[in-house]
Amino acid sequence: MRRKSTPLPIKDGLNPTRIRIQGAPPTGMRAADAVAEVIFSQRHRHPDDTWDAIYQRFRDNEVVRHNGTPLSPDELLPENCELFFYKTPAPEITVPYRLSIIHRDDDLLVVHKPPFMATMPRARHIVQTATVQLRRLTGIPELSPAHRLDRLTSGLVVFTTRPELRGPYQTLFAQRQVSKVYEAIAPYDSRLVQSLADGRLTWRSRLEKNPGELQGRFVDGEPNAITHLEAITQCSAAEQAELEKIHGRQPPLAHYRLAPVTGKTHQLRLHMWAAGVPILGDPVYPRIYTEDEEDFAVPMHLIAREISFTDPLSGTHRSFRTPLSVSDTFEGTA
């Protein structure tokens, strides 16, 4: 799972982009043409990333071969070659929430990721991501997440500090050797409370979610999404009042303690919705909100509260917990 090293270093928190030409390139394709094709085909492109900016990359020796040798813009590309260069991120709206460091040692950085911030750069979310922001904040360019959280979900994310650590910790998460506890806020349901009287309640479903679709769905078949509901605690009057300041009038609300066995995309959100208690602030279940309706002041109340595992290097038990609420890291309107 370790990523292949690149001839260009991480720059300002951003990895270089690789262009790989398989077989013979189009006749007469220059290095500058290959870079331009990638830049101009971006859906989210910086308006200043013009031909002049492309040629400036070559003048700065920031378009290189796999071995680090700089390319000239008019150099014709051979068969089966690789080029590396830096993209310029398009302008992004600043996420008005604070990343909080929960634990730091020589190997790991454990943070509380706020809502509306993606874990890794992707599509229109590049600079305003936990990975890039933490690299800039800590000065550790090789920081890499061992796992991911949905952009709208808050809570714990574990980062490794060096490339050689990525594989062991990423494998730990990929093989489900990590115990996780989430906390959601949703309408209080006395029927679910009664169902918990004899112990935890388990939801087992088969979940499908196609790339590009906002909503997942449950279908018939062997379960691939398993969640334990462990506890329900009704919100205090003070908590209810604070939440209604953000979300308007609400039915009585409660904290739901959730322990997922599997890690399917939107698993907890779908299980809560299917149980009749959609998570407060969820913009996808039950109704899909448009991009224009997104309001940073109205977050989804789902937190990755606890993470524990046996360290793959030392063999010791490690456990982390965030005391923060979804709203604790809000720093004002963007």
Side-chain angles (χ1 to χ4, degrees):
M1 297 184 67
R2 181 175 173 178
R3 291 183 301 186
K4 182 180 178 181
S5 61
T6 64
L8 289 175
I10 293 169
K11 180 181 179 183
D12 200 21
L14 298 168
N15 291 80
T17 295
R18 181 182 72 162
I19 300 175
R20 185 179 182 185
I21 306 294
Q22 291 184 302
T27 302
M29 174 173 268
R30 305 176 306 148
D33 297 329
V35 173
E37 183 175 321
V38 171
I39 289 174
F40 295 149
S41 65
Q42 293 178 106
R43 182 179 177 186
H44 306 284
R45 179 169 67 91
H46 197 291
D48 294 338
D49 216 349
T50 61
W51 272 108
D52 285 342
I54 290 171
Y55 282 115
Q56 186 61 50
R57 288 175 170 88
F58 286 92
R59 288 191 290 271
D60 293 338
N61 293 326
E62 290 188 342
V63 182
V64 302
R65 295 183 178 87
H66 69 280
N67 61 2
T69 305
L71 285 155
S72 66
D74 294 325
E75 191 166 340
L76 297 182
L77 298 181
E79 293 184 355
N80 301 315
C81 64
E82 290 183 329
L83 287 71
F84 295 82
F85 72 100
Y86 297 108
K87 288 181 181 177
T88 301
E92 299 175 46
I93 299 174
T94 300
V95 175
Y97 286 82
R98 180 181 71 256
L99 270 165
S100 300
I101 295 176
I102 302 299
H103 170 85
R104 181 174 182 174
D105 59 37
D106 290 341
D107 298 335
L108 299 180
L109 188 73
V110 183
V111 304
H112 179 106
K113 184 192 79 67
F116 301 105
M117 184 176 285
T119 304
M120 287 284 290
R122 184 181 179 186
R124 64 188 177 93
H125 305 291
I126 305 298
V127 172
Q128 291 297 308
T129 59
T131 298
V132 174
Q133 291 296 308
L134 283 168
R135 286 172 174 176
R136 294 179 176 183
L137 176 67
T138 63
I140 305 174
E142 295 289 351
L143 273 178
S144 181
H147 61 114
R148 301 186 187 192
L149 283 184
D150 286 346
R151 189 175 73 93
L152 299 179
T153 303
S154 311
L156 295 175
V157 181
V158 177
F159 285 77
T160 58
T161 59
R162 301 186 303 282
E164 62 268 25
L165 301 177
R166 291 174 189 155
Y169 288 99
Q170 288 175 346
T171 299
L172 197 70
F173 281 87
Q175 295 183 351
R176 301 178 187 169
Q177 297 175 6
V178 178
S179 296
K180 303 177 186 177
V181 173
Y182 287 73
E183 181 183 301
I185 295 178
Y188 177 80
D189 190 321
S190 58
R191 296 170 301 168
L192 289 175
V193 173
Q194 184 60 39
S195 298
L196 287 172
D198 298 325
R200 67 188 183 187
L201 179 65
T202 300
W203 294 318
R204 293 182 174 87
S205 312
R206 184 161 191 83
L207 190 161
E208 288 186 356
K209 185 178 184 298
N210 296 325
E213 292 183 353
L214 293 179
Q215 283 190 340
R217 58 193 176 279
F218 292 131
V219 297
D220 294 334
E222 185 72 19
N224 63 358
I226 303 172
T227 302
H228 298 310
L229 172 60
E230 296 188 334
I232 302 173
T233 307
Q234 190 164 359
C235 291
S236 67
E239 289 175 320
Q240 183 85 22
E242 286 301 313
L243 290 166
E244 289 186 349
K245 287 180 182 178
I246 299 171
H247 298 275
R249 186 71 175 173
Q250 296 292 320
L253 298 169
H255 298 269
Y256 288 75
R257 181 181 171 90
L258 305 167
V261 177
T262 55
K264 303 295 287 185
T265 301
H266 291 190
Q267 174 179 319
L268 301 181
R269 297 162 69 176
L270 269 165
H271 272 150
M272 290 288 285
W273 178 33
V277 284
I279 296 172
L280 183 65
D282 192 330
V284 175
Y285 307 98
R287 179 174 81 84
I288 297 176
Y289 284 71
T290 67
E291 186 177 310
D292 292 338
E293 291 179 283
E294 184 170 273
D295 185 346
F296 286 138
V298 185
M300 181 176 71
H301 292 267
L302 177 62
I303 298 175
R305 180 67 73 192
E306 301 170 16
I307 287 179
S308 58
F309 54 86
T310 299
D311 193 286
L313 303 183
S314 67
T316 60
H317 179 75
R318 308 197 74 174
S319 183
F320 305 101
R321 186 180 190 279
T322 174
L324 300 172
S325 72
V326 172
S327 302
D328 282 343
T329 57
F330 184 56
E331 295 185 320
T333 304

